[in-house]
Each structure stands twice: as C-alpha cells, then as structure tokens.
Amino acid sequence: MASVNAYLTFNRTCEAAFEFYKSVFGGEFTYVGKFKDMPPMEGCPPMAEEDGDLIMHVSLPISAETILMGSDSSESFGQVLNMGDNVSLSINTDSKEEADALFNGLSAGGTIKMPMELTFWGAYFGMFTDKFGIHWMVNFDEKPVS
C-alpha cells in the first residue's frame, strides 16, 4: 500500500526551516543529504561551491504515518523555485510495479520532469506535474533506509 507525504522545496532556507519544524514537532531527522554528497552527473556543469551545503533531501517523521520531506532548490541544476509551486506530494510504494502503475496513471496528460529510473541513492524514482498542475514524486526504495 502506498503512503503519501508532503515534500517542501525552499530557496536556500531548507536547513533553517527543518530545524524549526523539528523544534515544533520533535523527533529526529532520519536522513539529511547535501548537494555536495551527490556523485558528479554526466552532462551537468560543475556545481557552484556555495550550493554544496544546500539540502538535497531531508526527512523528518512527524507521526507514525507521516514524514515531512524537503530540499533546497538549486539553480546550478536549472531549478527555479516559484513560491506556490514549492509543494509536492511524494508517494512511497511497496514495489516497482506499484510505482510504475501510479506514475503512469497519474502522469497521463501531464508533464514528466524525471521518468522513473534507478537513482544513485538506491531508489526507483520519478517526478511529474499532473494535468491539473499538481506536483508529484513517486519512489520505491530498493534498499529501504532503516
């Protein structure tokens, strides 16, 4: 069964925002990754040094069922953040087949930003905007983080 969580994108303030959310909700981050932790990507220009410490991904469980997730936008990768477009729904699935079915069904008539593919962080992942303008991420963890 898939779970759905909020994914928030920030303009260089993700770390401060998530420290604030942690102070309100409590708990501990289950993952914090920075852009400097990424392996070099073929065909992409080198990352600006000041972007290295920006948050690539952070996860903060806020209940037994819900994880608040987020990242910084990075213009080094051609990402332009528009406030109002900075919230996505992130679906975590139990199988690759479920990920494909949900991705294909929900993206029909929409715009695919990243097709489903294996990632360097060990997940099968894709992103799109549906035909109603809602941003989605679909994820299946090949090797779940404990």
Side-chain angles (χ1 to χ4, degrees):
M1 171 79 123
S3 63
V4 178
N5 296 292
Y7 199 102
L8 310 175
T9 306
F10 298 87
N11 188 10
R12 310 182 84 77
T13 59
C14 184
E15 188 168 6
F18 269 76
E19 287 295 337
F20 171 72
Y21 300 147
K22 182 179 170 186
S23 77
V24 173
F25 290 110
E28 296 297 325
F29 299 123
T30 56
Y31 182 83
V32 178
K34 299 201 174 189
F35 280 108
K36 67 184 177 188
D37 300 329
M38 291 175 46
M41 295 184 344
E42 192 174 313
C44 288
M47 180 183 349
E49 189 173 327
E50 64 270 13
D51 288 348
D53 282 324
L54 295 176
I55 301 294
M56 177 189 65
H57 180 77
V58 60
S59 298
L60 176 64
I62 60 174
S63 76
E65 301 82 21
T66 306
I67 301 171
L68 189 60
M69 296 183 277
S71 67
D72 279 306
S73 164
S74 174
E75 291 183 13
S76 295
F77 299 110
Q79 300 169 327
V80 177
L81 181 68
N82 295 308
M83 295 312 282
D85 287 342
N86 59 327
V87 176
S88 298
L89 297 176
S90 177
I91 303 173
N92 293 309
T93 66
D94 291 331
S95 70
K96 210 174 193 180
E97 295 75 22
E98 182 182 27
D100 284 333
L102 291 171
F103 184 93
N104 293 334
L106 289 168
S107 68
T111 303
I112 295 174
K113 296 179 185 175
M114 179 181 173
M116 294 299 297
E117 60 186 44
L118 292 174
T119 63
F120 69 87
W121 64 85
Y124 185 58
F125 178 82
M127 300 185 303
F128 61 92
T129 301
D130 72 19
K131 63 184 175 183
F132 301 104
I134 304 300
H135 303 282
W136 295 86
M137 300 173 172
V138 177
N139 185 81
F140 168 63
D141 288 317
E142 293 279 332
K143 299 174 185 163
V145 178
S146 52

